[in-house]
Amino acid sequence: RGEINGNAITLKNGQWRFCYLHLSRVDVSAGQRVGWGQVIGLSGNTGRVAGAHGGYHLHFQVYYGSFVVNPRVLYPGNLFAS
């Protein structure tokens, strides 16, 4: 648990890293293998959250190597309609 990100999980798959921040609960342990569709934690408001994001939410970050990747490019179709 960190002061800024609160309860957090980072999943690694080769060069890819998927970070889930501000979780209210973490359901996995360091080094544990996880499966598709497995619950790894619950969204929350731990760490430093303020303003419009002060309530329960999921902060999701994606990295490929050292590069930040927009998560929208990973989802097909119009899942993130504006």
Side-chain angles (χ1 to χ4, degrees), residues 2-79:
E3 180 181 328
I4 294 174
N5 295 327
N7 295 330
I9 297 170
T10 299
L11 299 181
K12 298 177 184 178
N13 185 352
Q15 292 285 328
W16 292 94
R17 287 182 295 137
F18 305 92
C19 304
Y20 303 81
L21 313 173
H22 306 299
L23 302 173
S24 64
R25 189 177 85 197
V26 173
D27 293 338
V28 292
S29 302
Q32 178 182 341
R33 295 181 71 95
V34 298
W36 185 262
Q38 179 179 342
V39 174
I40 59 172
L42 299 178
S43 65
N45 63 351
T46 60
R48 189 173 299 161
V49 292
H53 299 292
Y56 279 71
H57 70 284
L58 174 67
H59 185 147
F60 180 57
Q61 297 174 327
V62 179
Y63 297 89
Y64 184 78
S66 61
F67 297 98
V68 177
V69 176
N70 183 341
R72 291 180 183 210
V73 303
L74 302 176
Y75 293 95
N78 197 19
L79 181 63

